[in-house]
Amino acid sequence: ILGILLYRRASVWPEGRWWAQLVVAGLVARIVFAFIHVWVGLKFYKGSVDFVGYSTLAAQFGYGLLSDFLGAANVLLEPDMMAPLMAVHYLLVGRSLVGMFLISSMAGLIGSYLFLRAYQLEFPERDGQRFLGVMLFLLPSVAFWSILLGKDSMTFLFMGCATYAFTRLLHGCHLRHVFSLLASLGVLVLIRAPVGGFLALAMGFAW
């Protein structure tokens, strides 16, 4: 469903057919990389990898959300922001490790899309949009590591959200974009404080 939505959005851009095909290629690449992550982690590392721990965290706190209201409150009050984020994975696909990886893959895809949209908004006439799009959607170092279940995919997603919201604010102040920026930076600080802090600092200088 997400792939269809992004495909439809990209198809209305100038040269929309090319962009829509790029989105599909990025989606397929991330799905393939998700299976590679799972296979390598379970086959060669025997499950001694971070994403297995995050899948356990997802099941633990996701079950807390489903079991009772107090469990839900405990998740929302958990100091580790990864707990509620991982709980969302569990609520969508249950205990399936592959399913959770596919969700994190979509998070990485959305992050790439938002980075690209931010560039297009800020530099609508500048050359290089195609090059940036290919790098964001197909470059292995981006497509592979931005989908890793856990902090990597969530960090990439909320960096994209913050960048897009900030770019929209540069072209007109709207309350929803202010909220989106503050929420994204807040989550980043809770997930990886140095990333969130330096991104906020960079945006302050750019403003």
Side-chain angles (χ1 to χ4, degrees):
I1 294 175
L2 175 63
I4 293 173
L5 291 175
L6 293 182
Y7 179 90
R8 290 176 63 87
R9 293 294 297 271
S11 63
V12 301
W13 300 347
E15 302 179 316
R17 181 178 178 83
W18 187 89
W19 287 110
Q21 291 174 343
L22 178 63
V23 169
V24 172
L27 174 63
V28 172
R30 281 160 173 77
I31 292 175
V32 172
F33 285 145
F35 282 100
I36 292 175
H37 270 299
V38 173
W39 181 69
V40 171
L42 299 182
K43 176 74 173 180
F44 292 96
Y45 292 97
K46 309 300 181 183
S48 299
V49 287
D50 288 345
F51 66 74
V52 172
Y54 282 118
S55 67
T56 302
L57 182 69
Q60 175 185 353
F61 287 96
Y63 180 78
L65 277 170
L66 293 175
S67 60
D68 54 57
F69 179 78
L70 292 178
N74 288 334
V75 170
L76 295 175
L77 295 175
E78 179 67 27
D80 183 1
M81 190 63 193
M82 289 307 298
L85 291 176
M86 289 296 98
V88 173
H89 290 61
Y90 177 85
L91 294 177
L92 291 174
V93 297
R95 298 184 64 91
S96 171
L97 178 60
V98 172
M100 292 183 191
F101 242 109
L102 292 177
I103 293 175
S104 67
S105 299
M106 297 306 99
L109 183 70
I110 294 173
S112 291
Y113 176 84
L114 291 174
F115 277 121
L116 177 62
R117 288 297 294 138
Y119 182 87
Q120 291 174 331
L121 286 171
E122 187 63 23
F123 307 107
E125 305 298 330
R126 180 171 294 184
D127 294 334
Q129 290 189 18
R130 281 195 172 196
F131 175 79
L132 178 63
V134 171
M135 293 299 101
L136 285 171
F137 283 97
L138 298 178
L139 186 70
S141 61
V142 176
F144 190 78
W145 293 113
S146 67
I147 68 169
L148 188 58
L149 179 63
K151 292 186 177 181
D152 297 78
S153 59
M154 294 295 101
T155 299
F156 191 77
L157 169 63
F158 285 103
M159 285 179 64
C161 291
T163 302
Y164 178 73
F166 179 75
T167 305
R168 293 301 299 263
L169 284 174
L170 292 177
H171 295 270
C173 188
H174 298 283
L175 186 59
R176 66 181 183 275
H177 299 137
V178 173
F179 175 79
S180 178
L181 176 61
L182 294 177
S184 299
L185 289 175
V187 173
L188 282 172
V189 169
L190 291 173
I191 294 176
R192 283 187 169 151
V195 174
F198 280 113
L199 183 58
L201 186 63
M203 289 178 174
F205 281 115
W207 186 270

